[in-house]
Amino acid sequence: MSVTDPILEPAQPSPTERLRALVIESLQAQGFKLRGEDALLAPVSDKTGLRSLHSQAVEAQRERARGALERHDARFARRLADGHTLEPSRVSPKIVVLPAGRSVDALLWRWCSLHWSIPVSGGYGRRIRALIIDEGHDDAVMGLIGLADPVYSLGIRDRAIGWTREQRERRLTSVMDAFVLGAVPPYNDLLSGKLAALLLRSDEIRDTFAERYGDRETLIARRNPEAQLALVTTASALGRSSVYNRVRAEDGSLALRSVGYTQGTGDFHFSGEIYDLLVEAARSRMEESAPTHRHENWGQGFRNRREVIQRGLRAVGLNPTRLRMHGVQREVFLAPLAHNSLAWLRGEEPVLDWASQPAGTLSRWWKQNWMIPRASRVDRWRDFSPASWRLYS
């Protein structure tokens, strides 16, 4: 009588192993090449390829916003100008700063930003959002401005300013970052992105900052920073920017000054379902001995998306530092609002010598210098139909 050996079932992967495999498969599906399991090789460098690389993250953001925005889709599309009826001579830009909190215009701003070719964050900390509208064409939306707190340490910015760690700690409250800055069609073909860049230095933006944040106790340090908006930073969406370069104000000064490129790190390639799973993995490893980076005055939970991804990747045995290095570089720009912004940020001068102007003055300069000449050379803006911009049709 023979004894039959039992058939051994193959061992099932653990939840950690399954998530690890899903993360790697997701990166490969986006076109990244992996060297081992902890180093990414960027698959493309041209702008068409980079847009494709970001497409999964952009689509994930649109789906997350569907519940709030889908019912407004047709209505918001009607807030855009029809290229066939647009008359360049009638274009009359106006900046409309949105109130803090929720509103229909805030939803419109979000809806417009979801058409960007890269995923748009909600910004951190202090925030100023504005619509650029055309009073000459039924208040059609021309572009967006979104300012938020800058990252604490950004080497390329800090070197360009030339400040020490102590100077940065004292004056960083006087800097904001434009995490959204650009034009919507058909105005983008009329160089309205340059208008958005000019308006960063408008009196309206500076006055809004002063009203909301200029005399306000900070939540963490519990001190009054006496902040003044001396500098706005921004970065191009995809490599070198042809929109922000060479934008000069009427006095000849550069509205934005390029200071170089980022190293190519970030989190856009961990989006959608993968991000949700990394959140669960990060939460499962939370221990009292390893508190989150969120300050106690901000409440419970993780400080930001970066911390979630770092902890989630670490929980499944992947190297977050290496996997966040996606290699997609962005050009960094500084927009000083005063003639002596950098010296003041370093503490070398006691008073800011403002260079800002009313939005109306900046808009007239833009129209004369860029829009009218462009409209006479290019006519593809006439082909734009607002219905083509619907997100959920």
Side-chain angles (χ1 to χ4, degrees), residues 163-179:
W163 57 16
T164 65
R165 179 178 297 181
E166 292 75 19
Q167 291 167 345
R168 180 183 63 196
E169 183 175 345
R170 185 166 62 251
R171 290 287 168 91
L172 188 61
T173 52
S174 293
V175 178
M176 294 196 82
D177 181 66
F179 67 101

Side-chain angles (χ1 to χ4, degrees), residues 131-244:
L131 293 169
I132 305 169
I133 63 171
D134 181 2
E135 291 187 298
H137 293 85
D138 299 320
D139 292 344
V141 179
M142 300 180 67
L144 307 178
I145 295 174
L147 306 183
D149 272 338
V151 297
Y152 180 75
S153 178
L154 181 62
I156 193 168
R157 175 203 67 199
D158 298 344
R159 289 189 294 273
I161 295 172
W163 57 16
T164 65
R165 179 178 297 181
E166 292 75 19
Q167 291 167 345
R168 180 183 63 196
E169 183 175 345
R170 185 166 62 251
R171 290 287 168 91
L172 188 61
T173 52
S174 293
V175 178
M176 294 196 82
D177 181 66
F179 67 101
V180 172
L181 182 68
V184 305
Y187 299 96
N188 57 340
D189 278 328
L190 294 172
L191 302 181
S192 291
K194 295 183 183 296
L195 171 63
L198 285 169
L199 291 176
L200 285 180
R201 303 204 303 175
S202 67
D203 292 341
E204 286 80 352
I205 292 294
R206 181 163 62 90
D207 291 346
T208 299
F209 179 91
E211 179 183 343
R212 292 186 185 178
Y213 306 117
D215 190 29
R216 177 176 168 182
E217 183 180 71
T218 57
L219 186 62
I220 302 303
R222 295 298 187 191
R223 63 183 176 85
N224 184 341
E226 297 181 350
Q228 302 178 71
L229 185 57
L231 182 72
V232 176
T233 63
T234 194
S236 64
L238 306 167
R240 184 179 183 277
S241 172
S242 59
V243 176
Y244 300 155

Side-chain angles (χ1 to χ4, degrees), residues 25-55:
E25 289 172 11
S26 172
L27 293 171
Q28 291 172 332
Q30 293 176 71
F32 285 103
K33 300 183 186 305
L34 279 75
R35 189 169 60 234
E37 288 187 349
D38 68 347
L40 292 182
L41 298 177
V44 292
S45 58
D46 64 283
K47 291 193 175 184
T48 299
L50 290 174
R51 288 188 182 93
S52 178
L53 186 62
H54 286 287
S55 62

